[in-house]
Structures are given as structure tokens and as C-alpha cells.
Amino acid sequence: MSIHENLLGGPAPTHLPDDPEPRELLAAGTPPAEVAAKYPTSSLAWAQLADEAYEGGRVVESYAYARTGYHRGLDALRRAGWKGHGPVPFEHEPNRGFLRALHALARAAGSIGETEEHERCSTFLRDSSPTAADILS
């Protein structure tokens, strides 16, 4: 038996392909807006924009950035074979941009009173990665 075998019979974890350039630029201090403009499919860049906007009190702007990162992440997940459910482990670094955008979307939705979206995104985050839900909340 493989140690990676899924004994519960659910879908295998989805691991997004690595895209190190945006992550390295952000880590080096490049402004997230520059990274998002150069790499518009990077959920991580959009998640960082959402975080900055939220921290600056620009909640609607944060919501828009987070929604963009979330949808870019969904596109990437589907290309990676994700079928709409199953684990998206936070432990796999390339998944973190999507999970951070999903968290940011839940947070911003809650802040503007969009309760159903907040609950849906919070549940989706916990179902995708309990680790991400614990770390990011």
C-alpha cells in the first residue's frame, strides 16, 4: 500500500503546478499590483492586493481583488484536474495563493454583510484545507 493512497475513497488532493516567478517577485518586495499586471493568473498576487486593501480599510476593493484571485485559482484548479471538490492542501505552496484569495473573499464578504458568500467561502476553505482555515483565520 502506498502511503499516499486515499483510504477514504474521496478525490485525491489537487496540487497546482508551481509558478515561482510571481512568488519570488512578491517575496523580494515587488508591489503586488506590478506582479498582478505581469502575472494576471497569479492568485497569490491578487490575494496580496486583497490583503493590502483590507488592511487599508478599502473593503470593497479587497473584495474585488479577492474575487479575481479566487476565480483565477478556480481556473488553475480545473486545469490541474480538480472536479469541484476535494482537498487543496495548504502544505503544497503553489496552492496557497488560491487558498489565501478564498480566505480574503470570505473575510471581505463578511465585512460588507454578504452573509451567504461569507459562509460559502468559509466552508469551502475549511473543506479544501483545514490547515489553511486554521492558519489564515
Side-chain angles (χ1 to χ4, degrees):
M1 170 178 9
S2 166
I3 61 170
H4 299 290
E5 184 178 347
N6 184 343
L7 299 176
L8 299 177
T14 301
H15 295 101
L16 292 173
D18 197 12
D19 188 12
E21 293 86 6
R23 186 175 63 244
E24 291 167 358
L25 286 170
L26 291 165
T30 303
E34 288 182 30
V35 178
K38 187 172 183 177
Y39 298 97
T41 61
S42 172
S43 289
L44 182 60
W46 293 107
Q48 283 202 0
L49 281 166
D51 288 346
E52 286 183 0
Y54 191 83
E55 290 165 9
R58 301 179 318 275
V59 178
V60 171
E61 186 178 323
S62 176
Y63 181 91
Y65 288 138
R67 182 161 288 288
T68 301
Y70 164 76
H71 281 286
R72 293 299 190 150
L74 287 178
D75 293 343
L77 285 168
R78 289 181 186 115
R79 282 191 304 274
W82 182 75
K83 302 294 185 209
H85 66 285
V88 181
F90 186 79
E91 294 78 5
H92 181 66
E93 190 169 7
N95 290 351
R96 291 181 185 175
F98 166 73
L99 295 167
R100 285 184 54 191
L102 179 57
H103 164 73
L105 183 55
R107 177 186 62 202
S111 292
I112 64 172
E114 194 175 355
T115 305
E116 288 181 23
E117 180 81 343
H118 168 74
E119 291 172 2
R120 182 186 67 79
C121 290
S122 296
T123 299
F124 186 11
L125 180 63
R126 180 144 312 272
D127 289 348
S128 297
S129 175
T131 301
D134 290 343
I135 289 172
L136 298 172
S137 297

